[in-house]
Amino acid sequence: MYDAVPASPASATVSATPGATEDARWRVIARTAFPFVVVGGAWEIVAHLGIFPPRLFPPLEAVGSAFMRLTIAGILPHHALDTLVRLLAGFTLAAFAGVAIGIAMGRSRRAEDIFLPLVSIGAPIPGIAYAPLFLLWFGLGNFSTVLLVGFVSAFPIIFNTWTGVKAVKEIWVRSAQAMGADQRRLFVKVILPGALPYILTGLRLGLAQAWRILVGVEMLAAVPWGLGWLIFGAREFLNTDVMLAGIAVIAVIGLALEKLVFQRLEQFTVVRWGMMT
Amino acid sequence: MTASSERAHTILRGTLTLLAAAAIYEGFARSGIFPAVLLPTLPTVARTLAAVLADGSMLMHAFYTLQRVLIGCGLAVLIGLPLGILMARFRPVENFVLPLASALMPIPSLAWVPVFILWFGLGGTVTILIVFYAALFPMLLNTWSGVRSVNPLWLRAASAMGADEHALFWKVIIPGASPFIITGLRQAFLRSWIAVVGAEMLAASDWGLGWVIFDAKEFLNADVMLAALVVIGAIGFAFERLVFGSLERATVLRWGMVRAAKS
């Protein structure tokens, strides 16, 4: 959405000379870093003033050293990897089931009648509310976590795929049929590309949903490894520095998902199909 | 086939589907394959729901949860809305807030629960703060892009017709940004509705719908869990349809910012 905003005139004019671009880049970096420096400085001052116990409000260097210690010991990467694997497993489950159900709902009246009431009833309940029920039914641990993440992120995928397939223009379908396309070709060449922008939006929303819920579910499900569990477990020992290091890793993963996956997906659709305006 | 009979047909088929799903569930529950405590029959769930509604305990839980959502969301609007407008109108504010917001936004609000528990103790405060965190960013960023997307032509036209800053703000910028702001409110509410349930489960606090569900797990009361899920779903649905629907009708639709056919 924000991509449509034209580049600022400043960056367009300074690109004339290479030295100026270098300058401009540094200025952008400095401008982005500035608020973090301010907030970090304020944090340091408060932490060193000793108003709050340092166990609860550790200075940044303590968080940094906890981060280094846990990374070198391989504990933090292990936690992060397990979280990512769970995210991927749950999301893959949701992507296949969601797209399949969504396409079925869009193409067949009967499937729509069957699934739409069920999906509409399940959707307004926040996914994490199902967590205790899933834990009760499927036990603590990985299986429940992955299943719940998949279940939760399936809803936006189903809805968007369904809308996308319905939004494929009837005239495209009919003209393809008139030109002799069989069912398979119709599906691969017309319906799928036509619905793809919506499907990708659904996948994006589903992944974001999965990410938001996963950390919380890890805390509840007592999985052996995982960033959510790391943070929640550190609470018992008042290891606020470990918690904040864990949150930093969560932020990095979230940011990477945003930049590498979501924005790529969006550009991919906009550029290749020109379907979105 | 006319449109209304088509509609009636859809409703009929939807009801049939749900009845069939309920019958399948009931069959499983009665078959005895699974323990009855884990898979209670529907009449049991209905009885439990009626009982907890009648003795007022579920209403009390719902009241606490709603209170937390409204306070947290209210705070998010109180801070996010003006800050979003400032960001869109003043470059330095944008330069300062935007990097922080984009760094904090990808952190799921529930990740902060353990930290907030240490800082503020178990209870309602943690939940309210988590709701605030969850609701702030959708509010902030939607307001920001809403104000930025106000057509510059409208601003110039209003200025040319002699509108002062005050009139410009209330008559052009706010209505112009309103579709985004309302989307922001909607997203903020949805996110905080998720956050409140999760936070209540983790920061156990005696009252609240999330706490009821989590507490019921300890005693294997699957019927209480399902009853609470029904209540949570009903409140979420009611908010989406009634509150935001009427809000939209009172503002954006009346101002002609979006067409009624949209939803």
Side-chain angles (χ1 to χ4, degrees):
Chain A
M1 192 187 297
Y2 314 132
D3 296 341
V5 178
S8 67
S11 66
T13 45
V14 291
S15 60
T17 54
T21 26
E22 193 82 338
D23 243 33
R25 193 183 301 145
W26 280 113
R27 206 167 311 134
V28 168
I29 292 172
R31 209 174 57 201
T32 313
F34 174 68
F36 293 101
V37 173
V38 170
V39 172
W43 181 286
E44 280 293 275
I45 291 169
V46 173
H48 282 290
L49 277 180
I51 308 169
F52 306 109
R55 281 232 74 104
L56 294 186
F57 203 88
L60 291 178
E61 63 266 18
V63 178
S65 77
F67 179 84
M68 288 304 290
R69 198 178 71 234
L70 293 175
T71 307
I72 291 168
I75 294 172
L76 212 47
H78 190 169
H79 282 296
L81 192 70
D82 270 37
T83 298
L84 277 179
V85 168
R86 265 180 219 120
L87 180 71
L88 221 65
F91 176 69
T92 312
L93 207 69
F96 279 108
V99 170
I101 293 175
I103 287 177
M105 277 168 68
R107 292 299 295 164
S108 130
R109 187 62 195 270
R110 186 168 297 159
E112 188 176 349
D113 283 334
I114 290 174
F115 283 111
L116 192 58
L118 296 177
V119 175
S120 316
I121 278 193
I125 301 177
I128 192 127
Y130 292 106
L133 201 62
F134 272 59
L135 295 177
L136 207 57
W137 282 349
F138 307 108
L140 292 171
N142 262 326
F143 183 65
S144 300
T145 313
V146 170
L147 210 61
L148 184 65
V149 168
F151 180 75
V152 168
S153 56
F155 284 106
I157 301 176
I158 293 176
F159 267 118
N160 279 286
T161 308
W162 172 56
T163 316
V165 173
K166 289 225 136 185
V168 173
K169 288 203 180 76
E170 193 56 34
I171 199 154
W172 295 351
V173 176
R174 261 187 266 156
S175 46
Q177 275 168 340
M179 288 185 270
D182 54 11
Q183 276 297 321
R184 204 180 64 85
R185 283 175 68 93
L186 187 71
F187 182 75
V188 174
K189 298 276 179 184
V190 181
I191 291 168
L192 210 53
L196 203 60
Y198 288 86
I199 296 178
L200 287 178
T201 307
L203 290 176
R204 224 184 80 178
L205 289 174
L207 187 58
Q209 191 101 292
W211 176 238
R212 270 202 296 280
I213 223 95
L214 175 60
V215 175
V217 179
E218 280 183 346
M219 292 182 192
L220 294 167
V223 289
W225 290 91
L227 290 169
W229 179 243
L230 169 79
I231 303 175
F232 201 59
R235 191 185 55 121
E236 308 278 312
F237 308 102
L238 293 182
N239 284 335
T240 314
D241 48 351
V242 174
M243 285 174 159
L244 291 173
I247 288 181
V249 177
I250 289 176
V252 169
I253 295 177
L255 214 58
L257 282 178
E258 187 113 339
K259 294 279 170 204
L260 300 180
V261 184
F262 299 160
Q263 290 186 358
R264 284 278 166 80
L265 273 182
E266 208 162 56
Q267 280 165 4
F268 186 65
T269 31
V270 173
V271 174
R272 273 207 56 188
W273 277 277
M275 298 290 304
M276 282 181 189
T277 44
Chain B
M1 198 188 273
T2 62
S4 70
S5 82
E6 178 112 349
R7 200 180 146 75
H9 214 77
T10 308
I11 291 173
L12 180 72
R13 284 210 244 184
T15 321
L16 277 180
T17 312
L18 291 180
L19 282 179
I24 292 171
Y25 176 89
E26 192 70 11
F28 268 113
R30 286 189 190 273
S31 69
I33 304 171
F34 305 104
V37 265
L38 294 188
L39 210 64
T41 58
L42 291 175
T44 317
V45 175
R47 256 200 307 279
T48 310
L49 183 61
V52 289
L53 283 178
D55 73 5
S57 63
M58 193 56 89
L59 295 178
M60 214 49 193
H61 288 301
F63 170 74
Y64 271 93
T65 300
L66 271 178
Q67 189 192 7
R68 285 172 193 143
V69 168
L70 293 180
I71 295 176
C73 261
L75 281 175
V77 173
L78 228 53
I79 293 177
L81 193 66
L83 198 58
I85 294 172
L86 286 177
M87 274 169 75
R89 301 287 289 165
F90 301 104
R91 208 55 201 264
V93 181
E94 184 182 304
N95 284 342
F96 191 85
V97 177
L98 197 59
L100 289 177
S102 15
L104 289 177
M105 195 177 47
I107 305 176
S109 52
L110 290 177
W112 289 103
V113 172
V115 181
F116 284 5
I117 290 176
L118 281 188
W119 285 351
F120 305 105
L122 290 171
T125 321
V126 174
T127 314
I128 290 173
L129 285 172
I130 294 294
V131 169
F132 168 70
Y133 188 92
L136 179 64
F137 297 110
M139 202 59 231
L140 182 73
L141 294 179
N142 276 294
T143 309
W144 172 61
S145 46
V147 173
R148 277 188 358 158
S149 72
V150 172
N151 193 338
L153 210 60
W154 299 347
L155 290 178
R156 262 184 274 156
S159 306
M161 287 187 271
D164 54 4
E165 275 291 311
H166 184 80
L168 203 64
F169 184 80
W170 288 109
K171 301 275 178 181
V172 183
I173 294 176
I174 291 291
S178 58
F180 284 81
I181 294 177
I182 291 194
T183 308
L185 265 177
R186 250 206 176 122
Q187 281 179 10
F189 179 78
L190 270 179
R191 296 253 181 112
S192 48
W193 194 232
I194 296 171
V196 79
V197 175
E200 281 178 350
M201 286 181 186
L202 293 164
S205 52
D206 294 359
W207 292 102
L209 294 169
W211 183 79
V212 174
I213 298 182
F214 197 66
D215 190 55
K217 188 180 78 113
E218 306 285 308
F219 304 103
L220 293 181
N221 284 333
D223 50 345
V224 177
M225 282 176 160
L226 289 169
L229 277 177
V230 171
V231 174
I232 290 177
I235 295 177
F237 189 74
F239 254 88
E240 175 63 29
R241 283 296 152 95
L242 301 178
V243 177
F244 290 110
S246 50
L247 190 66
E248 218 161 47
R249 272 194 297 283
T251 54
V252 261
L253 289 182
R254 203 166 61 101
W255 294 332
M257 293 299 301
V258 287
R259 262 167 287 129
K262 198 198 83 187
S263 47

